[in-house]
Amino acid sequence: MTDGLEPFELASLITAHDDGNFAEAVVPPIFQTSLFTFSNYDEMIASYRGEKVRPIYTRGLNPTVRMFEEMLAKLEGGEDALGFASGMAAISSAVLSFVEPGDRIVAVKHVYPDAFRLFGTVLKRMKVDVTYVDGRDEEAVAKVLPGAKVFYMESPTSWVMEAHDVGALAALAKQHGVVSMIDNSWATPYFQQPLKLGVDLVIHSASKYLGGHSDVVAGVVAGSKEMIARLKAEAYPYLGGKLSPFDAWLLIRGLRTLPIRMKAHEAAALTIAKRLQELDVVEQVCHPGLANRLPSGLNGTSGLFSFIFREGVDIRAFADRLTLFKLGVSWGGHESLIVPGEVVLQQKAQPNSAHTFGINPRSVRLHIGLEGTEALWKELEEAIAAAS
Ligand SMILES: *Cc1c(COP(=O)(O)O)cnc(C)c1O
């Protein structure tokens, strides 16, 4: 695996963003303020007229948040980006900026559960229909795109890890005049840069790898100036899910180590996935890196994957024996995590819905953290032996 980022993109993570006002601090200050004052009437009226771009109120523009947005835009190869208070705020603002009653969107199946719920509740009430399609079946995608407003993708998906040819799907969307967007939380810009593959908007739950330390809930959307301007005009300031300055500061800190963290997650997770695949009690390992080749545009794999036990393994006994792996949702931090599929299936996708996100009740999702491959493997091997 070569570095997924161009040298200037890597450097932009490390270099201090001192515009001359930060006393050459290597770590930027946090602008932990709700408002910014004006020294006189003329300065204030010039800002309101838009003649001078400067912070007025943090829900609109905050220098710390802006610094994170500029870093992320560069990393994704975009012109601009917008930070949000959560990944879901990013997803809802992005989608709601492009639809009105009577419209239809297309989404790949097995999207993040709360995105599925957003489409089934808020969008449904707005009379926006959703067509789900298998993102691996390009013919099926081409059939359902005509007339849609948005094509919502996620690749790889975050439980069954279905990986799509993102460039090919983006080209189909373009051909049919459909705005394409993708949840890139799993791969991060280090391994996949969807804007360069022709996708219009890239969305992240920054709570995962971008933050990388399990101490932030945040989101971000990147794209062209025009696309981001549309979000600013249609949804972003009014839905109000603004990223806070302190969280932006933590994200700036997290981004600096993104490349080395992703390499470590990739190596450890691939090793463990391959060893699991060798075990008799394991029916299937769902990890895109185990296929003959990765889909074009995906240049590496992260630390999140799942596997399915054969019948007869006591998953409760397995889970309770683990100590380095903690039982917990989310992922993308330094710590290893496990989520049993049968636990997630206790929560319905939606009232009266039998949808299961493709989750097998005998599956287990692992996030491989940074504790060390051999220590993690020893513990997994022992827990599996004890439970089978
Ligand atoms: C966590 C997650 C989200 C939602 O992000 P939040 O920051 O929790 O709102 C969206 N997509 C994927 C793939 C996720 O894992």
Side-chain angles (χ1 to χ4, degrees), residues 86-89 91 112 154 158 183 185 205-208 217-219 331:
S86 68
M88 281 312 302
I91 293 168
Y112 179 69
E154 186 179 325
S158 60
D183 183 333
S185 308
S205 167
S207 324
K208 311 296 162 50
V217 170
W331 41 272

Side-chain angles (χ1 to χ4, degrees), residues 10-325:
L10 273 171
S12 73
L13 288 178
I14 310 295
T15 313
H17 289 60
D18 195 334
D19 65 359
N21 295 319
F22 302 162
E24 298 186 49
V26 72
V27 173
I30 310 174
F31 285 81
Q32 190 69 31
T33 179
S34 62
L35 70 110
F36 300 82
T37 57
F38 299 89
S39 54
N40 57 54
Y41 178 99
D42 282 346
E43 221 185 277
M44 190 170 192
I45 203 166
S47 291
Y48 272 74
R49 283 183 182 138
E51 291 163 7
K52 192 174 167 198
V53 178
R54 52 150 283 175
I56 299 175
Y57 183 57
T58 277
R59 178 155 53 77
L61 177 61
N62 175 285
T64 313
V65 175
R66 191 64 199 141
M67 193 178 293
F68 164 68
E69 291 169 342
E70 284 171 357
M71 284 172 89
L72 203 282
K74 247 187 227 165
L75 275 177
E76 285 286 6
E79 292 172 346
D80 204 355
L82 266 180
F84 288 87
S86 68
M88 281 312 302
I91 293 168
S92 54
S93 279
V95 174
L96 288 170
S97 294
F98 294 92
V99 292
E100 45 188 276
D103 284 346
R104 185 172 63 88
I105 72 166
V106 172
V108 297
K109 62 179 190 163
H110 305 151
V111 292
Y112 179 69
D114 279 350
F116 177 87
R117 295 183 181 106
L118 169 76
F119 301 158
T121 56
V122 178
L123 286 198
K124 194 170 171 207
R125 282 203 301 280
M126 279 184 66
K127 309 244 177 298
V128 174
D129 275 341
V130 188
T131 310
Y132 287 96
V133 66
D134 187 338
R136 294 166 302 182
D137 185 347
E138 282 155 35
E139 246 172 68
V141 173
K143 261 193 205 132
V144 294
L145 279 179
K149 280 287 159 65
V150 167
F151 182 27
Y152 184 88
M153 301 182 262
E154 186 179 325
S155 180
T157 56
S158 60
W159 194 287
V160 285
M161 313 294 152
E162 281 164 8
H164 309 140
D165 184 335
V166 172
L169 295 184
L172 285 173
K174 200 142 277 166
Q175 195 183 320
H176 293 288
V178 181
V179 173
S180 57
M181 41 187 85
I182 187 169
D183 183 333
N184 197 31
S185 308
W186 187 92
T188 82
Y190 188 66
F191 288 136
Q192 179 167 264
Q193 294 174 306
L195 299 177
K196 293 184 181 171
L197 301 172
V199 178
D200 292 317
L201 285 170
V202 52
I203 305 171
H204 284 277
S205 167
S207 324
K208 311 296 162 50
Y209 287 125
L210 300 187
H213 296 73
S214 303
D215 50 12
V216 179
V217 170
V220 66
V221 180
S224 67
K225 276 203 177 100
E226 193 190 348
M227 282 282 163
I228 296 299
R230 169 111 180 200
L231 262 68
K232 283 184 186 164
E234 298 289 335
Y236 167 75
Y238 320 121
L239 293 178
K242 175 79 181 187
L243 177 60
S244 83
F246 183 56
D247 286 344
W249 186 84
L250 287 171
L251 291 173
I252 292 166
R253 185 276 312 258
L255 280 183
R256 294 209 162 100
T257 55
L258 181 72
I260 54 171
R261 286 188 285 109
M262 295 315 292
K263 277 187 211 175
H265 288 298
E266 175 181 53
L270 251 181
T271 301
I272 289 174
K274 283 179 185 160
R275 290 182 189 173
L276 283 170
Q277 208 173 24
E278 298 298 309
L279 300 183
D280 287 341
V281 294
V282 172
E283 186 174 297
Q284 192 189 339
V285 180
C286 307
H287 185 305
L290 298 178
N292 288 337
R293 60 168 199 91
L294 292 174
S296 89
L298 181 62
N299 302 311
T301 56
S302 69
L304 187 77
F305 68 96
S306 66
F307 66 96
I308 304 171
F309 275 123
R310 279 192 208 287
E311 217 112 20
V313 177
D314 183 344
I315 294 179
R316 177 197 294 193
F318 164 71
D320 281 345
R321 243 192 117 88
L322 299 169
T323 54
L324 288 175
F325 283 89

